[in-house]
Amino acid sequence: QLQLVESGGGLVQAGGSLRLSCAASGRAFSRFAMGWFRQAPGKERDFVAAISSSGGRTYYADSVKGRFTISRDNAKNTVYLQMNSLKPEDTAVYYCAANLAIVTTTPIEYDYWGQGTRVTVSS
């Protein structure tokens, strides 16, 4: 069993930065691939970034490539999403998720989800 809690969201102006954190309660955290997803009002939940259990492989949506960085610290049971050069279209609720099997960009493949943290980017 794994419990996830996101934090770090807030209101920023376009061009600003935020770092999201996702803290996991389970001691088997290092076995999970982790992903970040986001959902804007009236839209489906979309893939943002993912990282393998060891941290050796990362994946990004084209819309955030070069601006966002996913990382993890298995000793702290935490995964991060550093977001730079934020745009108004980045506004959404951001969720972290865990997948025990493989690293993937598909939301339905993930088994555990956090509560979400809201990010609002003003123009």
Side-chain angles (χ1 to χ4, degrees):
Q1 185 177 355
L2 195 67
Q3 293 179 322
L4 308 173
V5 180
E6 302 97 331
S7 63
L11 173 65
V12 297
Q13 289 189 310
S17 298
L18 284 174
R19 188 176 76 159
L20 306 183
S21 298
C22 178
S25 63
R27 58 187 177 184
F29 172 76
S30 62
R31 298 182 180 179
F32 288 82
M34 301 293 298
W36 285 97
F37 298 81
R38 65 188 182 186
Q39 187 168 21
K43 298 182 179 180
E44 294 185 343
R45 190 168 299 183
D46 292 327
F47 167 76
V48 176
I51 188 167
S52 61
S53 59
S54 67
R57 296 159 58 198
T58 58
Y59 303 87
Y60 297 94
D62 288 341
S63 60
V64 307
K65 194 172 299 181
R67 299 188 298 122
F68 291 10
T69 302
I70 187 171
S71 62
R72 68 191 296 160
D73 187 339
N74 286 347
K76 296 181 179 179
N77 278 17
T78 303
V79 62
Y80 305 95
L81 185 68
Q82 178 66 47
M83 305 185 295
N84 299 325
S85 301
L86 284 163
K87 305 174 181 179
E89 51 262 45
D90 295 319
T91 295
V93 175
Y94 284 71
Y95 300 88
C96 66
N99 179 358
L100 186 58
I102 58 171
V103 60
T104 177
T105 62
T106 306
I108 61 174
E109 297 291 333
Y110 284 79
D111 302 306
Y112 302 96
W113 293 84
Q115 64 189 150
T117 185
R118 187 176 300 275
V119 172
T120 303
V121 184
S122 62
S123 60

